[in-house]
Amino acid sequence: SFGAAAFSAVAAGIIIIYKVYQESQPVQQVPQSPFFPNGEKKKTLVILGSGWGSIPLLKNLDTTLYNVVIVSPRNYFLFTPLLPSLPTGTVEFRSIIEPVRSITRRLPGEVIYLEAEATGIDPTKNEITIKQSTTVHSGHSGQDTGSSKSTVPDYTGIEEITTTLNYDYLVVGVGAQPSTFGIPGVAEHSTFMKEISDAATVRTKIHDVIEAANLLPKDDPERKRLLQIVVCGGGPTGVETAGEIQDYIDQDLKKWLPDVQQQLRVSLIEALPNVLNSFNAKLVNYTKRVFNETNINLLTNTTIKKVEDKVVICNQKKPDGTTQTVEIPYGILIWATGNATRSFTKDLMSKIEEQKNARRGLLIDEYLKVDGTDNIYALGDCTFTKYPPTAQVAFQEGQYLAQLFQKKHELESIKYQIANPTDKTNIERLAKKLDRLEANLPKFQYEYKGSLAYIGSEKAVADLAMGTWSNISTGGGLTFLLWRSAYIYMCLSVKNQVLVVLDWMKVYLFGRDCSKE
Ligand code: FAD
Ligand code: NAI
Ligand code: MG
């Protein structure tokens, strides 16, 4: 049996290596062209974004059926569920990103990728304006203008390029930007947890405050302030980030910087009475208990109203119903209060009558078509639907749209054959087929598979939907294992799966280090 085990291990290893090798090779592709061989026009499908909606759409699409162009300022897909693991080095950033071109170069039909951001749209002309963008940002640039100003770094000498692009079909998958609710000082003084660059900034800041504090005497109030890490927002992003940082303090910084570690304090500030409000009450209470044990300072019923460079000013509701103003000093402020609409999405909404009442995102129908348009589709965090703004939803919408565009091509192809018949006796049969296809165009249906959040100290909470018959909620060490395997499974490429497992093994064996980014 030892022989069998060894044999299986070697076989599995070979399969993995082969799969990773295969993933790293481009394939022969059908080139883009204005017409199909039968003379039918090949339509241009422009996809905006390279996130959880757009990439699954692309991966599942038969790209020989359209001239596909993908436009995104970020030339990689980011596996957001593991982003909170980056600042502490639990996972390395290259392990959770996949370049757009390693995806597009492996599809059956040629796909053009443009590193640019859509800045405006003219739906009457089927035209978008795109601006080349060399930096990936969260949607704010040091000040809260609501628009995203990309700054082209001057070392390249690249001048900003703006151009237009026409589409027959447009899919909007630009996601959302971090919300600030217009609270003064947020964009200037805090770091979001949305992009790789945010995680790198948090990493740098952690070591900056540690090293600065280390130069000050132990009882210096400035030292105390520097070592306060404040996380605003008790949604899953804030909870996971606080949990990961506390792990780093307890498991690693304790070894290398015992004096500083004792004074490092993570505070999580939440406006509502509870954290993780999308999870059930049992899990919410479990999270509270774990935070208590792990020394995360949980401040609920506390709303940040203003951010200054060294303190946040909050309104705190007391049990007797009165409120008081409290100032909380911080060395690092991480801002995770959910989503706001991007300027491109707002531009599109402003140009369509049916979207005039839309506030929190594009209104779409059951085919994910933007209300008030014929040829614009939208998915993920830039839409406002009955579904939550999660990767799970965007992913399923992307898969669905890939099928829909396949069906739409079939329909259009039949229409073309009816208009340009090679055999007139066929027309009736084709017309029937067309009717049948049109009547049976599938609608999007969301299947909730459960949600999981890591809460630190190797514990996780999970709301699991097992079929339709039960709803299991768990918390604890076992859930942590489940959480990790679920993510490993969800990580999209085999290469990423291997890299993440290796990162976890490295941390298990050697711990996380305490160097700067
Ligand atoms: P995104 O994935 O954000 O993609 C948007 C894309 O559009 C990006 O490539 C961006 O660069 C690009 N873009 C932006 N502006 C423009 C423009 N003007 N023109 C063209 N392209 C543009 N959800 C879960 O279900 N489970 C989780 O565990 C989970 N964990 C998360 C952890 C964190 C830290 C965060 C921030 C989110 C997490 N989410 C999770 C939520 C999930 O990431 C989002 O719901 C999901 O990314 C939405 O997909 P999307 O395609 O709409 O947007
Ligand atoms: P969120 O919207 O879920 O939570 C934001 C929290 O910030 C809210 O609880 C809100 O009350 C609080 N808040 C807002 N303003 C505040 C203020 N001024 N002061 C104090 N608190 C304030 O946002 P999050 O966590 O970024 O998640 C966004 C989406 O992504 C959600 O749909 C979430 O489900 C999904 N997601 C899922 C994850 C998972 O399943 N593991 C992980 C991360 C995100
Ligand atoms: Mg997307």
Side-chain angles (χ1 to χ4, degrees):
S1 75
F2 174 77
F7 178 79
S8 320
V10 170
I14 289 171
I15 291 169
I16 290 170
I17 289 169
Y18 177 70
K19 283 202 163 161
V20 173
Y21 169 78
Q22 209 182 21
E23 275 175 359
S24 67
Q25 301 304 309
V27 299
Q28 278 279 334
Q29 296 181 305
V30 177
Q32 299 210 340
S33 61
F35 300 101
F36 286 103
N38 69 352
E40 185 191 341
K41 184 183 181 268
K42 196 168 179 178
K43 293 192 166 174
T44 298
L45 169 60
V46 174
I47 301 171
L48 303 181
S50 50
W52 272 106
S54 304
I55 292 298
L57 159 60
L58 200 62
K59 282 190 169 178
N60 289 284
L61 184 69
D62 180 350
T63 53
T64 62
L65 304 179
Y66 296 91
N67 292 320
V68 181
V69 183
I70 175 165
V71 178
S72 178
R74 195 176 75 193
N75 76 352
Y76 51 86
F77 168 78
L78 167 61
F79 188 80
T80 50
L82 286 176
L83 188 65
S85 296
L86 291 196
T88 59
T90 307
V91 169
E92 301 290 340
F93 85 89
R94 294 224 183 270
S95 307
I96 60 166
I97 68 177
E98 210 182 338
V100 170
R101 287 197 175 87
S102 8
I103 298 162
T104 57
R105 287 291 287 113
R106 295 191 36 75
L107 294 167
E110 182 192 6
V111 173
I112 293 169
Y113 167 64
L114 302 174
E115 188 182 89
E117 123 188 33
T119 54
I121 183 164
D122 184 345
T124 60
K125 286 198 208 153
N126 292 335
E127 187 176 276
I128 56 168
T129 308
I130 63 172
K131 191 179 80 182
Q132 162 241 16
S133 176
T134 51
T135 38
V136 178
H137 45 73
S138 288
H140 303 271
S141 53
Q143 50 191 196
D144 200 4
T145 57
S147 74
S148 51
K149 289 204 189 85
S150 79
T151 42
V152 179
D154 51 14
Y155 56 82
T156 55
I158 298 172
E159 290 186 25
E160 201 172 273
I161 303 164
T162 298
T163 181
T164 58
L165 195 63
N166 287 89
Y167 58 84
D168 294 304
Y169 288 117
L170 178 68
V171 175
V172 185
V174 298
Q177 68 184 36
S179 64
T180 66
F181 300 106
I183 296 167
V186 174
E188 292 88 331
H189 302 301
S190 70
T191 309
F192 302 106
M193 188 48 66
K194 181 81 179 170
E195 297 293 345
I196 293 281
S197 54
D198 297 326
T201 303
V202 171
R203 168 88 183 184
T204 303
K205 283 188 176 178
I206 291 174
H207 290 283
D208 281 348
V209 295
I210 288 175
E211 300 300 353
N214 193 41
L215 293 172
L216 297 170
K218 263 199 164 155
D219 51 359
D220 192 320
E222 179 64 359
R223 172 173 164 128
K224 212 174 156 212
R225 175 193 67 86
L226 284 169
L227 297 176
Q228 296 291 315
I229 301 174
V230 170
V231 179
C232 179
T237 304
V239 166
E240 289 184 334
T241 305
E244 293 270 4
I245 295 176
Q246 189 66 45
D247 281 357
Y248 189 39
I249 295 171
D250 293 342
Q251 297 167 7
D252 306 280
L253 297 177
K254 196 176 181 173
K255 283 190 275 183
W256 310 114
L257 292 141
D259 292 344
V260 180
Q261 179 264 344
Q262 279 172 7
Q263 282 176 297
L264 269 168
R265 185 117 169 97
V266 178
S267 297
L268 180 65
I269 301 186
E270 167 58 49
L272 299 174
N274 285 311
V275 294
L276 293 180
N277 289 293
S278 58
F279 287 80
N280 77 35
K282 210 177 91 198
L283 298 177
V284 170
N285 291 331
Y286 178 77
T287 307
K288 268 192 188 157
R289 234 179 32 242
V290 171
F291 275 11
N292 215 337
E293 284 162 14
T294 51
N295 279 328
I296 291 178
N297 179 26
L298 181 58
L299 296 163
T300 51
N301 290 314
T302 308
T303 308
I304 296 186
K305 292 287 183 191
K306 191 171 174 209
V307 177
E308 290 176 358
D309 66 346
K310 291 177 182 155
V311 293
V312 290
I313 295 149
C314 313
N315 263 0
Q316 203 165 47
K317 235 186 263 163
K318 289 192 290 187
D320 64 10
T322 60
T323 60
Q324 60 177 18
T325 304
V326 286
E327 283 193 8
I328 301 170
Y330 69 85
I332 302 174
L333 176 62
I334 298 167
W335 196 266
T337 61
N339 293 341
T341 315
R342 284 197 194 276
S343 61
F344 174 81
T345 312
K346 284 188 193 154
D347 186 53
L348 175 55
M349 293 192 305
S350 74
K351 287 179 176 147
I352 297 163
E353 193 51 43
E354 284 81 348
Q355 302 285 333
K356 285 276 147 66
N357 294 322
R359 289 283 171 275
R360 294 166 64 188
L362 291 162
L363 304 174
I364 54 173
D365 67 13
E366 290 157 302
Y367 304 95
L368 312 190
K369 189 164 68 61
V370 174
D371 290 350
T373 71
D374 295 326
N375 57 350
I376 305 178
Y377 291 75
L379 75 179
D381 286 3
C382 64
T383 65
F384 178 64
T385 64
K386 59 184 169 189
Y387 309 121
T390 61
Q392 204 180 140
V393 171
F395 180 84
Q396 291 183 27
E397 289 177 333
Q399 284 182 320
Y400 163 80
L401 271 191
Q403 297 313 309
L404 188 77
F405 277 109
Q406 180 128 9
K407 288 252 156 53
K408 286 181 79 67
H409 170 75
E410 235 176 283
L411 285 174
E412 276 153 20
S413 182
I414 295 173
K415 282 183 190 158
Y416 178 83
Q417 288 170 50
I418 293 174
N420 306 276
T422 45
D423 175 2
K424 288 219 165 30
T425 58
N426 243 341
I427 291 184
E428 201 175 321
R429 194 182 56 84
L430 285 170
K432 270 196 190 137
K433 194 173 168 194
L434 186 64
D435 286 346
R436 205 172 50 240
L437 270 173
E438 265 175 343
N440 292 320
L441 216 54
K443 291 175 179 168
F444 173 67
Q445 270 174 329
Y446 174 54
E447 195 192 325
Y448 177 67
K449 302 235 168 84
S451 34
L452 295 141
Y454 181 59
I455 58 175
S457 62
E458 316 204 328
K459 296 193 173 75
V461 290
D463 260 328
L464 293 186
M466 306 282 272
T468 49
W469 53 270
S470 75
N471 196 329
I472 302 175
S473 307
T474 58
L478 257 179
T479 311
F480 172 68
L481 274 183
L482 180 79
W483 177 82
R484 288 208 156 167
S485 9
Y487 281 127
I488 277 294
Y489 173 71
M490 273 168 64
C491 270
L492 299 176
S493 78
V494 181
K495 182 177 129 196
N496 288 123
Q497 291 174 358
V498 172
L499 291 178
V500 169
V501 172
L502 289 177
D503 286 346
W504 284 341
M505 279 166 57
K506 255 179 357 199
V507 168
Y508 181 77
L509 288 173
F510 312 121
R512 307 171 188 85
D513 86 353
C514 60
S515 62
K516 272 196 190 180
E517 188 63 43

